Amino acid sequence: LTPDPLKQNENIRCLTTLSHFGFECLPTQLVNRSIHKGFSFNILCVGETGLGKTTLINTLFNTNLKENKSSHFYSKVGLKVKTYELQERNIPLKLTVVKTVGYGDQINKEASYQPVIDYLDAQFEAYLQEELKIKRSLIDYHDSRIHVCLYFIAPTGHSLKSLDLLTMKSIDRKVNIIPLIAKADALSKSDLQTFKSNIMSELITNGIQLYQFSTDDDEATAQVNTGLLPFAVVGSMEEVKVGKRMVRGRHYPWGVLQVENENHCDFVKLRDLLLCTNMEDLKEQTHNQHYECYRSNRLQKLGFTDVGPDNQPVSFQEMYEAKRKEFHDQCQREEEELKQTFMQRVKEKEATFKDAEKELQDKFEHLKRIQQEEILKLEEERRKLEEEIIDFYKTKAASETSQTQACTNVKKE
Ligand code: GDP
């Protein structure tokens, strides 16, 4: 008799422990393990050249991830991938930053976002291949799947460009998108608010799915933060003096914009959400939502399914056997076809060789006949010449005899 799981649950009793068992330390174990293993985080920055991608990443991690100046003259879009080892207190973080190069600088806009899609898919594929291995090492595997895509929007103050919509639409099922208004210091406070709501309504109208901030930890914060999208950010590595303090900001003739001042821009909110509150959620969403979607599509394309044609569940073993048989049959069919083609080719070649041989033989016979006729002709000519020579000598001898006769007759007289 198999026990009914529902009944079993009903039978579970909750007990309050009267003494110390030790499993209250489980979270500590997890923390220690995670610290020992280290953390990794992969960010993709998509945006036009010069929108401040490098500066923002440097500002986020308060470090100078040295970069060459980007150029507007690339013939196609590329992706620059760099991995850095960072440490905050005793917490190590392996940070991978992927940035678009030459994005939006070409006339063909489709070619601008295709490399981004290909890159995202390639990382999912690499992970899937590792997962499917018999001897897999997912523990020390460097997971390069992108956890968040920071999409940099130009501070035009009007609306999104068609390239922005096209790109976001084509990657929103593959990655967590957080839209940012880059160089937000270019817009006044009221213009910024209008621009933000214009962008959001355009994104909603076009059905673009953005990252939904997790509401687990602090529901109120999550709601406030979701309302902040897109984040208006300003980046700077410059240290500026404000009163007696040195702060990171941008110095203008009319004053100082403090990057870390929440009244000036949304940089701190973005940093908190990205690094303090939502990093794990971004990673989970990547694995549970985007990767799962890629994986199931990919496996379906390979012919795997969870239910058979009769809507009955199919076990992996059955599917494997069926696929194996199908593959085996296909191999046999192809082998047979190859054999047939090979035999046909051999026959054709044999016929060609036979024709060529016959042609050669005919040519040889013909030449032989000509040669024999030539020999006969020459023989005939030789025979005629020999007869002529004999006749000549005969005539010569006769004339000599008649001359000698004539001389003798003259002397006698
Ligand atoms: P990338 O090509 O997108 O990586 O852009 P960079 O980070 O190299 O920045 C290009 C230029 O824009 C540099 O001169 C930066 O100093 C400047 N810049 C970066 N962020 C900001 C910003 O938030 N506001 C303003 N006004 N300028 C910025």
Side-chain angles (χ1 to χ4, degrees):
L1 263 171
T2 36
D4 182 351
L6 279 176
K7 284 241 171 83
Q8 245 189 355
N9 277 343
E10 274 169 22
N11 289 337
I12 293 175
R13 285 193 300 155
C14 281
L15 297 178
T16 6
T17 53
L18 297 174
S19 58
H20 173 79
F21 289 105
F23 59 76
E24 64 179 10
C25 301
L26 274 174
T28 323
Q29 282 184 37
L30 278 179
V31 169
N32 290 342
R33 248 172 189 256
S34 303
I35 292 174
H36 181 70
K37 238 177 76 184
F39 297 87
S40 69
F41 193 52
N42 306 326
I43 303 182
L44 168 68
C45 297
V46 182
E48 289 166 31
T49 313
L51 272 187
K53 299 183 288 295
T54 313
T55 315
L56 188 83
I57 293 292
N58 280 341
T59 321
L60 269 175
F61 293 95
N62 195 16
T63 150
N64 192 4
L65 312 172
K66 283 197 174 60
E67 286 287 338
N68 299 332
K69 255 212 154 358
S70 20
S71 146
H72 282 281
F73 303 106
Y74 289 104
S75 59
K76 58 181 185 191
V77 174
L79 288 165
K80 219 187 236 179
V81 185
K82 282 212 168 154
T83 301
Y84 309 90
E85 305 269 358
L86 304 177
Q87 183 125 3
E88 187 176 24
R89 297 226 179 96
N90 63 336
I91 312 291
L93 175 71
K94 195 181 221 179
L95 172 75
T96 300
V97 181
V98 183
K99 266 184 300 179
T100 52
V101 179
Y103 179 80
D105 292 335
Q106 299 81 27
I107 294 170
N108 179 359
K109 299 300 177 203
E110 193 176 318
S112 291
Y113 58 83
Q114 196 53 46
V116 179
I117 302 175
D118 293 345
Y119 183 82
L120 293 169
D121 283 345
Q123 309 322 304
F124 283 146
E125 184 61 29
Y127 190 84
L128 181 66
Q129 289 305 325
E130 186 63 36
E131 245 188 8
L132 292 176
K133 275 184 191 169
I134 293 177
K135 270 194 181 174
R136 56 193 190 169
S137 53
L138 287 170
I139 292 173
D140 48 358
Y141 172 77
H142 175 53
D143 184 2
S144 54
R145 292 171 300 171
I146 296 294
H147 303 124
V148 66
C149 164
L150 299 180
Y151 193 91
F152 288 68
I153 299 164
T156 58
H158 297 285
S159 55
L160 288 169
K161 297 181 184 178
S162 56
L163 176 61
D164 297 330
L165 288 169
L166 281 171
T167 307
M168 282 196 257
K169 187 83 196 144
S170 50
I171 60 171
D172 69 347
R173 309 287 142 142
K174 295 176 188 286
V175 68
N176 300 309
I177 302 178
I178 298 183
L180 308 179
I181 298 175
K183 296 187 174 181
D185 51 332
L187 298 169
S188 73
K189 224 168 181 171
S190 57
D191 284 349
L192 197 58
Q193 276 319 312
T194 324
F195 190 37
K196 273 188 181 191
S197 50
N198 286 352
I199 290 173
M200 281 319 282
S201 56
E202 264 190 283
L203 290 174
I204 293 166
T205 317
N206 287 283
I208 291 165
Q209 188 182 303
L210 300 178
Y211 170 63
Q212 297 294 312
F213 289 98
S214 116
T215 49
D216 288 354
D217 301 336
D218 182 352
E219 216 161 291
T221 329
Q223 270 168 12
V224 171
N225 291 328
T226 312
L228 272 172
L229 281 179
F231 290 106
V233 291
V234 176
S236 173
M237 287 308 287
E238 233 178 281
E239 294 271 323
V240 190
K241 199 163 186 186
V242 176
K244 285 181 187 160
R245 288 183 307 127
M246 291 303 283
V247 294
R248 270 186 305 155
R250 300 190 79 86
H251 206 174
Y252 295 107
W254 57 89
V256 170
L257 186 144
Q258 296 172 37
V259 169
E260 289 170 273
N261 184 331
E262 294 197 28
N263 291 322
H264 293 188
C265 69
D266 303 331
F267 173 79
V268 171
K269 288 180 188 110
L270 170 72
R271 187 180 60 192
D272 284 353
L273 281 167
L274 214 53
L275 309 181
C276 298
T277 56
N278 280 68
M279 190 189 275
E280 272 311 307
D281 186 64
L282 284 162
K283 290 166 89 168
E284 262 177 32
Q285 293 278 334
T286 304
H287 186 75
N288 297 340
Q289 193 182 325
H290 302 301
Y291 173 65
E292 273 309 305
C293 181
Y294 176 84
R295 183 181 164 278
S296 68
N297 285 341
R298 185 80 170 81
L299 292 183
Q300 268 172 23
K301 266 191 201 151
L302 287 175
F304 290 97
T305 163
D306 290 335
V307 285
D310 48 358
N311 254 5
Q312 290 300 310
V314 185
S315 78
F316 190 78
Q317 177 71 22
E318 284 172 42
M319 187 123 47
Y320 173 73
E321 291 298 341
K323 278 269 136 204
R324 215 170 97 117
K325 191 175 174 311
E326 194 183 307
F327 182 67
H328 185 252
D329 292 349
Q330 190 185 340
C331 280
Q332 269 193 336
R333 267 201 310 277
E334 278 174 14
E335 195 182 325
E336 198 51 46
E337 272 171 29
L338 262 177
K339 261 187 200 164
Q340 295 288 346
T341 324
F342 180 71
M343 294 303 286
Q344 184 68 28
R345 287 257 176 93
V346 168
K347 271 185 194 158
E348 280 169 14
K349 277 277 164 220
E350 263 179 9
T352 327
F353 282 144
K354 266 189 189 153
D355 287 350
E357 194 185 339
K358 193 175 171 302
E359 207 173 297
L360 271 176
Q361 188 66 31
D362 290 349
K363 229 182 214 173
F364 174 71
E365 293 292 335
H366 177 69
L367 285 175
K368 206 170 142 187
R369 228 178 10 255
I370 291 172
Q371 192 199 23
Q372 272 174 354
E373 280 169 10
E374 287 284 320
I375 290 170
L376 283 176
K377 227 189 250 172
L378 283 172
E379 284 288 328
E380 183 61 30
E381 275 173 20
R382 205 176 85 179
R383 197 183 49 77
K384 272 186 191 163
L385 268 174
E386 275 173 0
E387 276 175 12
E388 274 174 26
I389 291 168
I390 291 167
D391 284 348
F392 170 75
Y393 280 121
K394 270 186 190 165
T395 324
K396 192 182 164 192
S399 78
E400 274 174 0
T401 320
S402 59
Q403 257 184 7
T404 326
Q405 196 85 48
C407 279
T408 325
N409 286 345
V410 171
K411 270 183 194 171
K412 271 183 189 170
E413 278 172 10

